């Protein structure tokens, strides 16, 4: 029953977030295939370092949000594992989470930094170093798990991680992260990006890098959630 409920919810979230009607069938099929892979009896492949790093950054974001939002709202807003366009979708704004060991980030589609006209989009960038004194993804997973008291919320947390390909594995302990930067940017006309409706419709499957070196921001997560900016 729980698995079926989350499968249905995942389909609804992804279809609802797709603003291009022509892509809805594709999104529906991709979502179903993701769940088929989740329930497959085949042994899952371990996540690669960059995948562990990306998921770790999203868990760090969740950890930071707990002082501003209830955990159930945060988990329900976490659409990244479901394959949503943006990693976290709240009532009238969204967050895309990016991490790197360098100063540049990779954008994986021409519309990843697009926002729906009625919503604001923010980028949370976390720069990490790999360091023996750092934190592992297993450690932050256990920290957040202890904070979640409600059984349904805990189930949702576990399923999101399963969809993302994570299950606790000792081999992930070799990746120890120290956070060096935590920057928030509002995605507007001043932020360097590709905008889908400004490129030829015949161009698709675009990925590109943005160099954030020298870009700074005083915008804090607290500012956004308390609307003080």
């Amino acid at each position: 029953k729980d698995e079926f409920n989350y499968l249905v919810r995942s389909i609804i979230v992804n279809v609802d977030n797709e603003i291009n009607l022509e892509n809805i069938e594709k999104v529906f099929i991709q979502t179903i295939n993701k769940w088929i892979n989740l329930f497959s009896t085949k042994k899952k492949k371990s996540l690669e370092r960059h995948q562990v790093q990306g998921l770790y950054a999203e868990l760090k974001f969740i950890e930071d949000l707990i002082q501003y939002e209830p955990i159930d709202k945060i988990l329900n807003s976490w659409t990244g594992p479901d394959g949503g366009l943006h990693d976290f979708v709240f009532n009238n704004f969204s967050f895309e989470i990016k991490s790197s060991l360098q100063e540049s980030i990779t954008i994986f589609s021409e519309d990843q930094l697009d926002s729906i006209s009625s919503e604001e989009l923010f980028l949370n960038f976390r720069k990490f170093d790999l360091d023996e004194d750092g934190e592992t993804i297993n450690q932050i997973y256990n920290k957040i798990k202890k904070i979640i008291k409600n059984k349904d919320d805990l189930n949702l947390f576990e399923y999101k991680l399963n969809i993302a390909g994570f299950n606790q594995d000792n081999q992930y302990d070799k990746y120890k992260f120290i956070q060096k930067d935590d920057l928030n940017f509002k995605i507007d006309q001043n932020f360097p990006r590709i905008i889908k409706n400004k490129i030829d419709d015949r161009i698709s499957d675009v990925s590109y890098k943005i160099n954030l070196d020298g870009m700074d921001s005083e915008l804090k997560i607290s500012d956004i959630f308390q609307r003080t900016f």
Side-chain angles (χ1 to χ4, degrees):
K1 180 180 176 182
D2 286 339
E3 287 89 343
F4 180 76
N5 285 340
Y6 291 125
L7 184 154
V8 172
R9 179 193 175 283
S10 180
I11 293 172
I12 291 172
V13 166
N14 286 323
V15 170
D16 189 50
N17 284 335
E18 179 51 58
I19 59 177
N20 187 342
L21 293 178
E22 296 178 356
N23 288 340
I24 285 181
E25 180 182 0
K26 178 180 176 182
V27 169
F28 178 85
I29 293 172
Q30 285 177 337
T31 306
I32 292 295
N33 285 336
K34 181 172 268 191
W35 279 86
I36 289 173
N37 290 334
L38 175 65
F39 292 133
S40 173
T41 56
K42 294 179 181 179
K43 190 178 187 308
K44 290 183 181 179
K45 292 182 179 179
S46 297
L47 296 176
E48 297 180 10
R49 195 271 304 160
H50 71 278
Q51 294 172 310
V52 175
Q53 175 189 302
L55 188 56
Y56 175 80
E58 293 182 27
L59 294 180
K60 288 293 288 182
F61 185 75
I62 290 174
E63 182 183 41
D64 290 345
L65 287 194
I66 289 172
Q67 58 185 309
Y68 305 112
E69 295 287 340
I71 189 64
D72 62 323
K73 182 177 179 180
I74 297 171
L75 294 176
N76 279 290
S77 299
W78 187 21
T79 58
D82 296 309
L85 177 60
H86 301 129
D87 294 315
F88 291 84
V89 178
F90 297 92
N91 288 336
N92 55 2
F93 62 92
S94 303
F95 264 95
E96 184 65 24
I97 313 300
K98 290 293 180 181
S99 64
S100 179
L101 303 181
Q102 312 296 327
E103 295 293 343
S104 63
I105 58 174
T106 301
I107 308 301
F108 292 104
S109 71
E110 61 271 23
D111 56 355
Q112 192 173 35
L113 292 186
D114 269 2
S115 59
I116 300 173
S117 58
S118 60
E119 296 180 352
E120 293 177 297
L121 175 61
F122 298 93
L123 171 70
N124 176 254
F125 168 63
R126 294 172 189 258
K127 183 182 177 184
F128 298 125
D129 279 348
L130 292 175
D131 193 290
E132 278 300 314
D133 295 324
E135 181 180 46
T136 69
I137 193 171
N138 287 331
Q139 288 173 322
I140 193 170
Y141 159 77
N142 287 321
K143 281 165 61 177
I144 295 175
K145 188 176 178 180
K146 288 178 182 178
I147 293 170
I148 303 173
K149 304 301 181 184
N150 181 280
K151 181 181 177 182
D152 289 338
D153 293 339
L154 184 58
N155 284 339
L156 180 57
F157 181 60
E158 297 284 5
Y159 279 116
K160 294 274 188 180
L161 289 168
N162 273 327
I163 294 170
F166 173 82
N167 48 40
Q168 226 174 353
D169 191 328
N170 289 337
Q171 71 168 312
Y172 295 144
D173 286 340
K174 65 186 177 184
Y175 306 123
K176 298 181 180 180
F177 302 99
I178 288 183
Q179 184 169 289
K180 307 299 289 186
D181 273 322
D182 176 13
L183 298 174
N184 297 285
F185 299 95
K186 184 176 180 179
I187 304 302
D188 56 20
Q189 66 274 14
N190 297 316
F191 192 86
R193 59 175 170 150
I194 289 176
I195 300 175
K196 186 173 183 178
N197 64 13
K198 292 187 177 181
I199 61 175
D200 193 299
D201 290 340
R202 292 166 292 186
I203 298 174
S204 62
D205 298 324
V206 175
S207 65
Y208 60 100
K209 290 184 180 293
I210 299 175
N211 189 347
L212 299 177
D213 189 22
M215 293 182 64
D216 202 359
S217 173
E218 298 298 324
L219 191 60
K220 305 297 181 186
I221 289 178
S222 58
D223 297 331
I224 298 167
F225 280 85
Q226 296 170 0
R227 311 310 287 175
T228 58
F229 64 97

